Amino acid sequence: HYDADVALEPGSPAAEYKRHLLEAVLGRWREAAAAARVPVLVVVVPPAIDACDAFDVKVDRAAHPGYDPSRLSRVAADAARRQGLPVLELYSPFRAEGGDGLYQRHDDDHWNSRGQDLAARLAVERLLAEGWLAGASPSAGPGDAR
């Protein structure tokens, strides 16, 4: 579901609670991953409402003049960074690619195959940059990583 309180009323008690809860959960993920010696990459996926200009559901900007479509993604990415976790934030790349072509339509806010492909390519690039897939290349197929 869409976190309207964080997106539209960022100063509200509910939004503040959610921000603190997210950061606490991310901190626990970091601790658990460190204990298990497993790397974690936080992938922040923007809601279609925020990433698309022509999505079926829109924020009423007259009713919410402080609305910032990048806020939800930024809040999540900032919380992860404060916890020392690497982040792949997809709002800017999705907007740059043309968000309207990356999601399903008719109240379905899931990614379509183009959105999935873009996210996967960016994730592979980030995993390679982190050194977690030594010997692999972005064009390598499944099972090609060494």
Side-chain angles (χ1 to χ4, degrees):
H1 68 280
Y2 186 68
D3 286 305
D5 45 6
V6 178
L8 306 176
E9 301 291 334
S12 70
E16 185 175 334
Y17 176 81
K18 282 185 176 180
R19 285 192 305 273
H20 289 296
L21 177 62
L22 175 61
E23 193 153 346
V25 168
L26 290 168
R28 295 295 300 265
W29 283 358
R30 178 186 38 78
E31 292 168 4
R37 298 179 192 219
V38 175
V40 173
L41 175 64
V42 176
V43 179
V44 178
V45 180
I49 294 169
D50 295 336
C52 300
D53 292 324
F55 193 66
D56 302 325
V57 178
K58 296 182 186 300
V59 171
D60 181 349
R61 289 182 182 253
H64 303 284
Y67 166 67
D68 175 357
S70 68
R71 182 178 290 121
L72 285 178
S73 294
R74 189 174 58 252
V75 164
D78 289 349
R81 287 185 190 106
R82 281 191 297 274
Q83 289 301 318
L85 294 167
V87 176
L88 171 59
E89 190 274 305
L90 296 175
Y91 177 81
S92 295
F94 272 37
R95 290 290 300 173
E97 186 73 19
D100 290 320
L102 303 177
Y103 291 86
Q104 303 292 341
R105 303 308 301 197
H106 311 294
D107 294 329
D108 183 350
D109 64 353
H110 293 91
W111 304 343
N112 62 26
S113 59
R114 284 187 55 221
Q116 292 172 29
D117 181 64
L118 175 59
R121 283 186 286 118
L122 294 171
V124 166
E125 288 173 10
R126 183 59 188 268
L127 295 174
L128 288 170
E130 293 289 336
W132 296 344
L133 298 177
S137 69
S139 62
D144 289 345
R146 293 180 175 61

